Amino acid sequence: LILTKVYTYVKDTYLGHPTKELLEGEWIRSEYGNPPVSVTTPEVLVRGEIEMPQDVQQMMVGNETFIYGSLLSNFYTTLSTIKFRGEVNFDLEKAVDGIYTNLENQGARNIIMKQEEFTTVEGAKGLKVFGTLEAVNPVTGESIPNEYVILNFAENGGFEQIMVIFNENDQYAKEISERIINSVEITNLNE
C-alpha cells in the first residue's frame, strides 16, 4: 500500500499528470452561447460543431457549441446552446434519446444511463443524465472506461446542454467534473 501511494505521488508530482495540472491550475468563469450559460472550467472552451437532427434544425434560429478535449482523452467537456424560433415546448426526454445516439456516433459503447432532476444554485431546473460508457480507441482497439454527467435545460426559449466525460480511473478528472457541474448557471433566467 505504501509503495503504491509513493509511486502515485511521485508520478503525479514529478512526472506530471494532465488532469491534476488542470485541477490545480487557474480556472476561468465564462459565459457561452445564446441563451447564455455561465460555467467555470479549467480551460477556455473552444467553438466547435455538433451535428443536429434535421427536425431540430428546422425549429432553431441558431446553435453554438463549445468544446474542450475529446472522447478519447482523460477529460472531455462540451457546452451546447440552441435558440428556437418562437415558442417551442422542448421535450427534455427526447433530448436524452439524442444523447445516446450522439455518444454512439462518437464511438462510445456499453452506455449505462441514469437520470434525475437537477436544479442549479440560482434555481434553473433541468435533467441530469449520468452513468458509464466505454470509449474505443480506433487505432489500438483499446476500451477506455469512462463516467459521464450531462445537464440538460430548456430555458429562455432554448435548450442548453453541458456534458462532461472523464476516465473513471482518474480521481482528478472526477474532481474537475464535479466542480464544473456545480458551477453551471443559466443566465438571464427572469428575462
Side-chain angles (χ1 to χ4, degrees):
L1 178 66
I2 292 172
L3 286 175
T4 304
K5 291 292 183 188
V6 169
Y7 172 74
T8 302
Y9 174 78
V10 169
K11 182 181 81 165
D12 290 353
T13 305
Y14 296 106
L15 301 178
H17 193 284
T19 51
K20 181 179 183 192
E21 292 170 13
L22 282 176
L23 179 64
E24 293 176 347
E26 187 174 328
W27 284 56
I28 300 130
R29 179 104 181 141
S30 293
E31 201 171 85
Y32 298 94
N34 181 22
V37 177
S38 293
V39 66
T40 304
T41 56
E43 294 286 336
V44 174
L45 304 180
V46 178
R47 189 176 298 276
E49 294 284 326
I50 290 185
E51 197 168 313
M52 297 288 173
Q54 189 64 33
D55 57 334
V56 173
Q57 286 181 13
Q58 292 174 354
M59 296 186 308
M60 66 186 197
V61 174
N63 72 313
E64 296 178 277
T65 300
F66 303 89
I67 301 170
Y68 176 80
S70 76
L71 190 60
L72 297 177
S73 63
N74 282 13
F75 182 77
Y76 172 55
T77 189
T78 64
L79 187 151
S80 298
T81 62
I82 299 173
K83 185 76 172 172
F84 294 111
R85 300 177 203 275
E87 291 294 317
V88 173
N89 190 8
F90 191 78
D91 185 359
L92 287 179
E93 295 293 333
K94 286 186 180 177
V96 171
D97 295 338
I99 293 168
Y100 190 83
T101 304
N102 185 14
L103 289 172
E104 282 186 329
N105 289 342
Q106 292 185 56
R109 301 289 174 258
N110 300 324
I111 302 170
I112 296 174
M113 192 177 290
K114 303 171 195 168
Q115 66 185 47
E116 62 186 31
E117 290 183 7
F118 181 85
T119 305
T120 67
V121 174
E122 297 292 322
K125 293 187 184 311
L127 190 61
K128 177 181 176 182
V129 178
F130 58 101
T132 59
L133 60 84
E134 291 178 2
V136 179
N137 185 322
V139 176
T140 65
E142 176 189 10
S143 182
I144 305 164
N146 287 312
E147 290 184 42
Y148 66 92
V149 178
I150 305 170
L151 301 181
N152 302 280
F153 300 93
E155 298 283 347
N156 302 324
F159 171 68
E160 302 83 21
Q161 181 180 76
I162 301 88
M163 175 170 51
V164 181
I165 300 176
F166 56 94
N167 187 307
E168 76 177 8
N169 299 320
D170 188 336
Q171 68 184 22
Y172 305 116
K174 186 173 185 78
E175 288 181 49
I176 292 170
S177 170
E178 290 170 358
R179 190 166 169 187
I180 289 173
I181 295 301
N182 291 331
S183 76
V184 171
E185 289 302 333
I186 310 300
T187 53
N188 301 324
L189 212 94
N190 299 321
E191 290 181 7

